[in-house]
Amino acid sequence: MPSQTEKEKLMKAAIQLAKKGAGSVSPNPLVGAVLVKEGKVIGKGYHKIFGGLHAEVNALEKAGKMARGADMYINLEPCCHHGKTAPCVDALIEKEIRRVFIGMVDPNPTVKGKSIKKLKKAGIEAEVGLLEDECRRLNESFVKFITKKVPFIILKAALTLDGKIATYTGDSKWITCEESRNLVHQIRSEVDAVMVGIGTVIADDPLLTVRLHKEAKKNPFRVVVDSSLHIPYKSRMLQPELAGKTIIATSRKMAVSKKAQAIKKRGAQVLGTPLKRGRVDLTALLKLLGEKGIASILIEGGSELNASALECEIVDKILFFYSPKIIGGREAISIVGGGGLKKIADAIKVKDITIRSIDSDFLVEGYIDQN
């Protein structure tokens, strides 16, 4: 039996492999697999693209005949159901794998422990929970989507040390450094959608595409929260090359208007939702987006959308990029708008915070405390 240190090292290798599929496999999970025999790695694999071979099968194919009697390290329980591919657990049994080290149980109700039982019934040892916290965080979007059928929400903002996202004139380019902006584009390439409010569209006319030095895997959907359907026809995201991945969320009344029909003719989608205090009900919107298979969303909105998202309690994670700048001004735009809270006791709490430097900036990452 390998030592705990060796097991963790190999599971970390599986996790790193899994990350290579980020941006290409959603709404499936990120999965990596490492095959080891007599202390040597004989096969590696990861889920490369939605609908493609799963990590376990890729690793088994690399190992070939040597797979018999080997140990497999995999960050997520193998699947046991027929989807776009055959059940991976059957492949492990067929190849007579000796032991399987699993990072976490698959939260998918159609799997959830069934593969582990099947492995044990076939005489294959199965150890579960190796680096479970890391494995769970790797697939945090998948875990929420597969259990609640709504997207995992990340609230991102670039702000100054005094909490401003723009000056009193509305100028915001650029608050953060180039390295921070590149990281945001990397994150965009890994989520299914980017969400902004209509105010951002009118003020900045953003593309919301991925712009990296290396070729991006994909551009996410663009979701515009626009209760009154004010989006200009001339907006860049409604032009032919971008409209196909643009979704406008508006009121049910405006969703059947002539303007909505004209927008649809350009190739964009228009979703009608109930209104909550005169604005798009974000909770209802998430259900509609979840039905479309959108498992993760990066909110890059202004202060009002940020406030609405937090008020509706849809935010799971924050990414706040702080720049070492102070701009001041009573009318300068703060990160969170809205009416605000009356009491400190009612403040939204953030937990599991990490802070890291990005060139001259620093990134605060944390999770909204739902308790």
Side-chain angles (χ1 to χ4, degrees):
M1 176 71 75
S3 68
Q4 186 66 20
T5 299
E6 184 63 20
K7 288 191 290 185
E8 289 183 2
K9 178 182 177 181
L10 290 164
M11 184 58 75
K12 285 182 181 292
I15 291 171
Q16 290 304 311
L17 281 168
K19 289 178 180 179
K20 292 184 177 182
S24 299
V25 302
S26 182
N28 281 353
L30 298 171
V31 184
V34 178
L35 268 174
V36 180
K37 192 171 186 178
E38 297 176 357
K40 295 183 179 180
V41 175
I42 60 171
K44 296 180 181 179
Y46 68 97
H47 188 26
K48 296 181 179 181
I49 190 166
F50 179 75
L53 294 177
H54 289 187
E56 303 94 317
V57 175
N58 280 324
L60 289 170
E61 288 188 351
K62 294 279 180 60
K65 295 180 179 179
M66 293 182 68
R68 186 173 182 271
D71 294 343
M72 175 170 280
Y73 292 79
I74 180 169
N75 59 288
L76 185 71
E77 178 183 6
C79 64
C80 59
H81 58 291
H82 283 272
K84 292 185 178 295
T85 61
C88 292
V89 68
D90 291 349
L92 298 180
I93 294 170
E94 180 185 342
K95 296 296 182 180
E96 299 181 21
I97 297 301
R98 181 184 176 194
R99 291 178 297 216
V100 182
F101 297 93
I102 300 168
M104 62 175 283
V105 173
D106 191 336
N108 187 340
T110 61
V111 182
K112 204 168 187 179
K114 294 176 184 176
S115 291
I116 294 167
K117 290 179 181 178
K118 195 169 185 178
L119 288 170
K120 291 179 177 179
K121 188 175 181 180
I124 297 174
E125 294 180 41
E127 181 179 317
V128 185
L130 186 59
L131 298 183
E132 183 172 2
D133 288 345
E134 290 184 38
C135 293
R136 188 168 294 278
R137 185 153 294 184
L138 172 70
N139 274 309
E140 57 194 8
S141 296
F142 170 75
V143 171
K144 181 182 179 184
F145 180 74
I146 203 66
T147 56
K148 298 185 178 181
K149 307 303 180 186
V150 293
F152 184 85
I153 305 298
I154 304 167
L155 177 61
K156 167 262 169 183
L159 62 160
T160 60
L161 288 179
D162 53 340
K164 308 298 184 181
I165 61 174
T167 67
Y168 75 92
T169 66
D171 182 43
S172 61
K173 291 183 175 58
W174 296 104
I175 288 178
T176 51
C177 67
E178 184 176 2
E179 286 77 3
S180 291
R181 299 198 299 274
N182 285 340
L183 177 55
V184 170
H185 282 283
Q186 180 62 44
I187 296 167
R188 279 187 187 177
S189 76
E190 296 173 359
V191 297
D192 294 332
V194 174
M195 180 183 289
V196 296
I198 184 59
T200 297
V201 174
I202 291 173
D204 301 333
D205 194 17
L207 289 168
L208 301 181
T209 53
V210 175
R211 300 184 292 281
L212 295 170
H213 297 306
K214 58 183 179 181
E215 184 178 351
K217 294 179 181 178
K218 69 170 179 59
N219 281 312
F221 278 94
R222 290 163 287 279
V223 179
V224 181
V225 180
D226 183 5
S227 305
S228 301
L229 209 58
H230 285 319
I231 187 167
Y233 288 120
K234 65 180 181 180
S235 296
R236 293 193 288 178
M237 63 177 65
L238 289 184
Q239 303 316 304
E241 63 274 15
L242 295 179
K245 294 196 74 172
T246 297
I247 300 172
I248 313 298
T250 189
S251 68
R252 287 173 173 169
K253 178 181 178 181
M254 294 307 301
V256 295
S257 66
K258 290 183 178 180
K259 185 171 184 179
Q261 297 307 313
I263 289 172
K264 289 179 182 179
K265 286 181 180 180
R266 291 173 175 238
Q269 300 179 54
V270 179
L271 296 181
T273 74
L275 294 181
K276 188 175 183 181
R277 278 177 277 189
R279 296 183 175 183
V280 165
D281 185 336
L282 296 180
T283 302
L285 174 59
L286 290 198
K287 291 180 181 178
L288 293 174
L289 295 175
E291 290 171 2
K292 291 181 174 294
I294 292 177
S296 58
I297 297 175
L298 180 68
I299 294 181
E300 293 195 64
S303 64
E304 294 306 310
L305 180 58
N306 292 347
S308 295
L310 290 167
E311 183 182 341
C312 291
E313 300 181 346
I314 65 169
V315 178
D316 298 292
K317 183 177 184 178
I318 64 161
L319 294 175
F320 288 178
F321 291 81
Y322 280 89
S323 173
K325 300 171 184 174
I326 298 172
I327 58 177
R330 294 186 186 89
E331 303 301 320
I333 303 172
S334 298
I335 182 173
V336 179
L341 298 171
K342 291 182 179 180
K343 299 179 181 179
I344 292 293
D346 297 329
I348 297 166
K349 298 178 178 64
V350 182
K351 62 181 182 179
D352 300 332
I353 291 176
T354 58
I355 302 173
R356 60 184 168 114
S357 297
I358 303 176
D359 194 25
S360 59
D361 301 337
F362 63 94
L363 170 61
V364 176
E365 180 176 345
Y367 295 81
I368 299 298
D369 191 344
Q370 306 289 0
N371 296 324

